[in-house]
Amino acid sequence: YGIESEVHKAADGKYVMMHDANTLRMAGDDIEIGKATYETLRSLRLKQKDGNRGRTDLRIPSLEEYLGICKYYGKKAILELKDDFTAEDVDEICRKVEELEYMEHTLFISFKLNNLLLLKQRLPLQPAQYLVEQPITDEMIQEMAERKMGINARQDLYTAEIMEKCREKGVATNAWTVNKPEMARKLMDWGIDYITTNILE
């Protein structure tokens, strides 16, 4: 359905895709993304599963490359706004998505609510989900309903009752990170809208 990845801003203003804010785990080099230039980040060779860094094609992708991959394979771009972005940053990220004519196929997510509020100021109808790892309360569900956002929560935070309350309020639900079929089936029985997974087929 889609490919989820996180966008960070490099020191020179370029946007790159990486889960961590530091390159140590994926590249073996201890570099903070926000303090390095795009050229420096791009020069790193990423590790394969066995830890080897022999492949020259495994590099940190740019935002444009990530979007291009999603577009080429016909996948939704599930774009996590990872850093504390400014209104100018969010505007520029949106422009890059628009330049590739892929906004209607892009879902924005973030742990930082302000990123999503900035997005909604620019694009009030754009799908967005608030990433949470704290208990899902009635107040949170109501707030998301009013802001026209979904909830993207850690899988164990959902119950059938919470899912029903979200449905009643028109709040989309997404669970992460669901790698076990039995958990996926339970969430589906409850009516989950999206499942984020590393390995589930």
Side-chain angles (χ1 to χ4, degrees), residues 136-138 140-142 144-145 149-153 157-174 190-193:
I136 302 169
T137 63
D138 291 348
M140 180 191 296
I141 295 170
Q142 181 61 36
M144 293 303 105
M149 295 181 193
I151 292 175
N152 194 328
L157 295 175
Y158 284 111
T159 64
E161 181 183 8
I162 287 172
M163 209 79 75
E164 178 61 28
K165 288 180 178 179
C166 288
R167 269 196 305 277
E168 289 174 356
K169 295 289 185 178
V171 175
T173 51
N174 192 343
W190 290 346
I192 196 81
D193 294 302

Side-chain angles (χ1 to χ4, degrees), residues 1 4 27 42 61 71 78 86 113 152 171-172:
Y1 173 81
E4 188 267 350
R42 190 66 169 190
K71 189 172 184 178
I78 316 299
T86 64
L113 183 58
N152 194 328
V171 175

Side-chain angles (χ1 to χ4, degrees), residues 81-86 89 112 114-115:
L81 302 174
K82 194 79 168 185
D83 298 341
D84 284 304
F85 288 121
T86 64
D89 292 329
K112 303 175 190 303
N114 191 59
N115 286 338

